[in-house]
Amino acid sequence: MARTVRARALVRTAVAAALLGPLAACSADSAPAAPDAGKGGKDGDRPVAVTVTPTGRQAAAGERVKVTAAGGRLTSVTVTDAEGRRLAGEVARDGRTWISDRKAVPGTAYEVTAATRTRGGTAGTTRASFTTSPVDKVNKVDWRPGTGTTVGIAQPISLVFDNPVENRAEVEKQLKVTTSNGTEGSWGWIRDWSGRDRVDWRPETYWKPGTKVTLNAELNGTDSGTGGWFVRDYTSTFTIGARQVVEVDLDSHRLTLVRDGRTVRRIPVSGGTPGGDKRSWRGTAVLMAKEGTINMNSETVGLGDAYDKMVDYSMRLTWSGMYAHAAPWNARYFGNANRSSGCIGMSDADAAWFYGQVRPGDPFEITGKDTKGVVEPGNGFGAWNLSWAEWQRRSALR
């Protein structure tokens, strides 16, 4: 009887073992894969481990997004913000890394989707997200020339910043200039007449007429230092017009418009009064704007109450107040004496004609013995008064 019971027990144990063996094997083969990781293939074909930086809900802005893969390779990476804008980038040849071309900008939520392939060939997808911290201070830019304009051969690209720029090299790296004919030039940092930081780009010599120029200031996500962050990009496209040079000889009291190397017209003028603060500037000034009829008040340029009048055909040459304009009250001095308060005056008829011929960006090459000195780089567009070597040294990348 005991042998019979023992035999039945052994049979039950053998049956249970036979049933449990296949059950354990089935459970291992059907274990759920990690979300979006794809199904495993061969034995040991594990999902790719993907790491994304930055991370978290208060991630630092101003860093490039980096995605890395271990145990396989990346096949593609997409990084988008809440408005669907993408951060472009490229997967490295070995498939292990992807780095964005641009930096993550402040106060922005990003979604990352990484397509992967395991060593065994299994495709998978990993998703991640992070949000960059907002910033307390924003730096803005005022730039010239405006997009779609046609300008003269001496027009620089000029960016004036609302707040100081300490990280000049980092900012300059984001400023891209392309031209239709491969014109080379250099950025130079100067102090604007307003006292603000400014950076201009000019070629070694005057632009070639017909050149098409594009500025891409990819500043969004760049920290300027204590002046704050940039939170947008700036773009401008413009064209260089005819080769026009305005030659102003204050000693002979003549203005000459030269177009494509040929004299178009000579105009008698009267420049700034010699011997004091009313003298004109010399050197190369650039026509900044055609302002038409404006009020000119001597108190705004530190000359007391010498004048306060409406002036026609006003063409601004410096921030400090030097213009070319109609000055009929000085008619007896045109062509024979300098008796203005620093501007280049001419008759109404000559001013009307001249106003219609010139455009912003045209250079005024001014000579004369008794002047206040050479136009400074930040007083309008005076960068042409520096040699090419001097100008290049003003770049933060040299």
Side-chain angles (χ1 to χ4, degrees), residues 35 41 76 86 105 166 171 208 210 231 286 292 343 345 362 369 394:
S76 69
R86 288 193 177 190
V105 303
E166 294 176 336
V171 168
K208 181 179 179 180
V231 295
V286 177
C343 294
D362 284 346
K369 294 178 182 178
R394 289 178 176 252

Side-chain angles (χ1 to χ4, degrees), residues 230-383:
F230 298 101
V231 295
R232 59 162 291 188
D233 295 335
Y234 301 84
T235 301
S236 183
T237 300
F238 58 95
T239 303
I240 306 302
R243 181 178 180 82
Q244 292 195 142
V245 178
V246 181
E247 299 174 352
V248 182
D249 186 341
L250 295 176
D251 294 335
S252 66
H253 320 294
R254 290 287 186 276
L255 176 155
T256 304
L257 177 62
V258 180
R259 182 180 298 141
D260 297 326
R262 300 178 63 182
T263 297
V264 178
R265 186 166 173 175
R266 289 188 175 90
I267 297 173
V269 297
S270 179
T273 304
D277 291 340
K278 292 184 178 182
R279 292 174 294 175
S280 299
W281 294 102
R282 71 175 184 274
T284 300
V286 177
L287 180 56
M288 301 175 65
K290 296 163 67 173
E291 298 180 4
T293 300
I294 62 173
N295 176 256
M296 291 191 180
N297 188 318
S298 56
E299 293 182 351
T300 64
V301 291
L303 294 177
D305 60 354
Y307 57 87
D308 183 4
K309 61 182 65 179
M310 301 303 293
V311 179
D312 295 329
Y313 305 112
S314 298
M315 296 161 271
R316 180 183 283 275
L317 298 176
T318 70
W319 284 125
S320 62
M322 185 168 73
Y323 284 77
H325 60 75
W329 56 87
N330 252 4
R332 65 185 180 276
Y333 299 119
F334 298 151
N336 57 66
N338 293 321
R339 289 294 184 271
S340 80
S341 294
C343 294
I344 300 165
M346 63 196 81
S347 70
D348 281 336
D350 284 337
W353 177 87
F354 185 64
Y355 192 90
Q357 300 298 310
V358 295
R359 60 165 51 96
D362 284 346
F364 281 56
E365 297 178 348
I366 306 168
T367 58
K369 294 178 182 178
D370 196 353
T371 64
K372 287 190 286 191
V374 175
V375 178
E376 297 177 353
N379 188 8
F381 300 132

